[in-house]
Amino acid sequence: MRLLFDRGTILLDAPPAELDPTALPGVAWDDRVAAHRAPGCRYAEIRAALVRRGVRFTDAVRPAGQGAFRFAALGLREYQQAALAAWQLAGRRGVVALPTGSGKTRVALGALAASGLSALCLVPTRVLLEQWRGELARVHPGAVGCYGDGARELAPVTVATFESAWRYMPVIGHRFDLLVVDEAHHFGAGVRDETLEMCAAAARLGLTATPPRPGPQAARLAALLGPTVYELAIADLAGTFLASFDVVTWHVDLEPDERRAYNLDRLRFQDALEAFWRDAPGAPWREFVRCAERTPTGRLALAAWRRSRRLVALCRGKRRAVGELLGRHRDGRVLLFTADNESAYSIARAHLVMPLTCDIRRAERADALERFRRGELRALVSSRVLNEGLDVPDADVAVILGGTLGEREHVQRIGRVLRPGPGKRALVYELVTRDTFEVRQAARRRLGLAPRIAAQL
């Protein structure tokens, strides 16, 4: 009997007659090839089950001749060492949740150095791809492979974007012993989950600042990477390993004409939503959108909902507040976060602030960030690009005008100004439009700043 890697799956070739392959973890019969197979992620479980049963087999899944890999010694902070220990005690499987700016990447580098395993590191964006390659090159003397941004280079230590990994995992998914997933909260909801399923690596480490709350996504993520084994929040590290910070909530008012337009649009939307819920109590939001798009009344309701959100995202009160804050902190390094690109560009035009959006090419974005670090640019405005991964250690003021992703996005944005520095105390302004849906959203977002229980073994 042989175990083979076949396009992201483990194929059982010529199993003995006395073995029921379907009793092995994840194994099912595949009529297309008249053979038994399982997802690649079940490789270690299948191998262990065969050994326990005393079944003789040849393992042809992993390439031969790969030994341990050397990494430079790392100096980890106490909580980073604790996170690494928790992951190791959990059988080298699990998610480490640490706030933005606390050095999650260092924990991953520590895992690579401690294990000496060949590793595939997955990241969501091309910007993070370059950052990870640079970090790995500093501690790993060998070549660092890359899949993404036009590159397709395989090495025992490789970094890949989520999209490239999804595309090439059927080919490279058996070549690594450790899978590291940065911003792991992107998985577990079904989108591209098969990327992690197709990888045969037994050791798995997820990194995130915002793990999913208990529920289907958290359970699915635990099945793919392991449970959350260590967790700290911003409040646990602020003032010690992260900069201390103050949050100022600035309530602004809609002007009379804005209030009339907002109330009219919300009423039209709310009437349609309540009518839908009477017929389908408890139905999810996406089902309402699907049904609303089928009727003229529903489409008008969705249009009203979008108008109300655009109005609140950058009402006149927020525009004035931005101007005042930029004037007040003219000597600081300010990051402005908006709900959408339209608002980001509007602020950029009004105040001559450099925008960072998905429309800005990588070279121009890198140049803007470098000028920001040197102090040539004092402010940047973005809707999503600055949320995850980009390193802006010199920022000390954040102005949050609105968001769409709730608690997770809020934690990521505040983390952008918490990189520690001598005597640094960051300041976060949250602009909230009074008597709108933003008030409730702002209250929910602050939950992400509460302290956490560190170890969850």
Side-chain angles (χ1 to χ4, degrees):
M1 175 180 169
R2 292 191 305 161
L3 296 183
L4 306 172
F5 184 80
D6 181 50
R7 291 166 291 180
T9 69
I10 305 302
L11 197 69
L12 279 65
D13 180 48
E18 64 274 14
L19 175 68
D20 177 11
T22 59
L24 299 173
V27 175
W29 176 256
D30 187 349
D31 285 325
R32 297 169 299 177
V33 294
H36 289 89
R37 70 167 79 234
C41 61
R42 309 304 291 268
Y43 162 63
E45 296 174 79
I46 292 172
R47 197 179 189 286
L50 291 173
V51 171
R52 284 196 305 269
R53 292 165 180 257
V55 178
R56 297 179 62 185
F57 65 96
T58 300
D59 187 348
V61 172
R62 294 286 290 113
Q66 277 194 178
F69 299 93
R70 297 177 60 84
F71 291 82
L74 291 171
L76 299 179
R77 297 168 176 170
E78 292 94 333
Y79 66 88
Q80 293 169 335
Q81 293 173 349
L84 178 58
W87 176 72
Q88 291 171 320
L89 289 171
R92 292 180 173 177
R93 284 180 64 89
V95 175
V96 169
L98 292 173
T100 301
S102 61
K104 294 187 296 296
T105 306
R106 298 288 292 179
V107 176
L109 296 178
L112 269 67
S115 66
L117 299 175
S118 57
L120 175 63
C121 305
L122 306 187
V123 298
T125 65
R126 291 176 293 177
V127 174
L128 279 172
L129 184 77
E130 290 306 312
Q131 286 188 191
W132 270 79
R133 290 184 73 185
E135 291 293 329
L136 285 165
R138 277 190 278 274
V139 298
H140 177 52
V144 176
C146 177
Y147 273 73
D149 203 15
R152 196 168 63 186
E153 304 160 1
L154 185 66
V157 177
T158 296
V159 189
T161 61
F162 290 170
E163 190 66 24
S164 292
W166 175 77
R167 186 173 302 166
Y168 293 107
M169 198 66 84
V171 180
I172 65 174
H174 64 307
R175 303 189 68 90
F176 305 95
D177 298 305
L178 169 60
L179 177 67
V180 178
V181 183
D182 196 10
E183 308 295 351
H185 54 266
H186 286 281
F187 293 95
V191 179
R192 298 289 192 258
D193 281 359
E194 60 266 34
T195 305
L196 309 189
E197 289 181 339
M198 290 188 289
C199 183
R204 295 179 174 227
L205 172 61
L207 304 171
T208 180
T210 51
R213 292 185 175 277
Q217 183 184 0
R220 177 66 173 147
L221 191 61
L224 293 168
L225 293 175
T228 299
V229 296
Y230 190 88
E231 182 175 6
L232 292 176
I234 286 175
D236 298 308
L237 298 177
T240 53
F241 296 105
L242 295 179
S244 299
F245 70 101
D246 296 306
V247 177
V248 177
T249 302
W250 186 341
H251 288 89
V252 302
D253 290 302
L254 294 175
E255 294 188 354
D257 62 319
E258 292 176 322
R259 174 60 65 184
R260 286 193 296 272
Y262 175 82
N263 288 344
L264 182 62
D265 281 337
R266 294 301 289 188
L267 181 62
R268 176 174 289 171
F269 160 68
Q270 200 65 35
D271 285 346
L273 182 62
E274 290 174 359
F276 169 76
W277 276 342
R278 283 196 295 271
D279 295 331
W285 166 256
R286 63 180 178 274
E287 185 64 20
F288 165 72
V289 173
R290 189 177 66 83
C291 292
E293 287 175 340
R294 295 176 176 176
T295 67
T297 302
R299 289 192 289 272
L300 288 173
L302 289 176
W305 173 75
R306 295 187 186 100
R307 280 196 304 271
S308 70
R309 294 179 71 86
R310 284 198 299 269
L311 189 154
V312 169
L314 195 60
C315 60
R316 296 187 196 112
K318 286 186 178 180
R319 292 175 186 271
R320 287 192 295 271
V322 167
E324 184 173 334
L325 290 173
L326 287 174
R328 182 182 300 178
H329 296 285
R330 65 178 72 252
D331 294 326
R333 307 285 180 87
V334 184
L335 300 179
L336 300 110
F337 296 96
T338 65
D340 50 59
N341 283 351
E342 182 182 348
S343 299
Y345 287 128
S346 180
I347 289 173
R349 289 191 296 268
H351 300 284
L352 300 181
V353 174
M354 176 66 193
L356 289 184
T357 70
C358 57
D359 302 321
I360 306 298
R361 292 185 179 275
R362 185 178 65 177
E364 185 178 2
R365 185 166 53 198
D367 177 66
L369 288 170
E370 182 56 35
R371 292 169 63 196
F372 183 81
R373 295 185 184 104
R374 294 198 302 262
E376 297 172 13
L377 294 176
R378 292 293 184 177
L380 300 171
V381 60
S382 174
S383 61
R384 294 283 184 87
V385 167
L386 288 174
N387 283 0
E388 290 183 343
L390 279 180
D391 188 12
V392 279
D394 300 303
D396 55 7
V397 178
V399 180
I400 300 173
L401 290 92
T404 58
L405 301 181
E407 175 188 329
R408 173 173 295 155
E409 183 178 61
H410 194 60
V411 170
Q412 291 167 338
R413 288 174 164 186
I414 289 179
R416 299 270 77 82
V417 297
L418 297 186
R419 306 280 181 182
K424 178 178 177 179
R425 187 172 186 89
L427 191 54
V428 178
Y429 292 95
E430 185 176 14
L431 305 187
V432 179
T433 310
R434 190 177 280 112
D435 297 325
T436 68
F437 62 85
E438 276 196 333
V439 176
R440 187 172 62 254
Q441 284 186 346
R444 286 202 303 265
R445 285 198 295 258
R446 293 189 199 103
L447 294 175
L449 304 181
R452 297 287 196 271
I453 297 172
Q456 301 189 15
L457 295 177

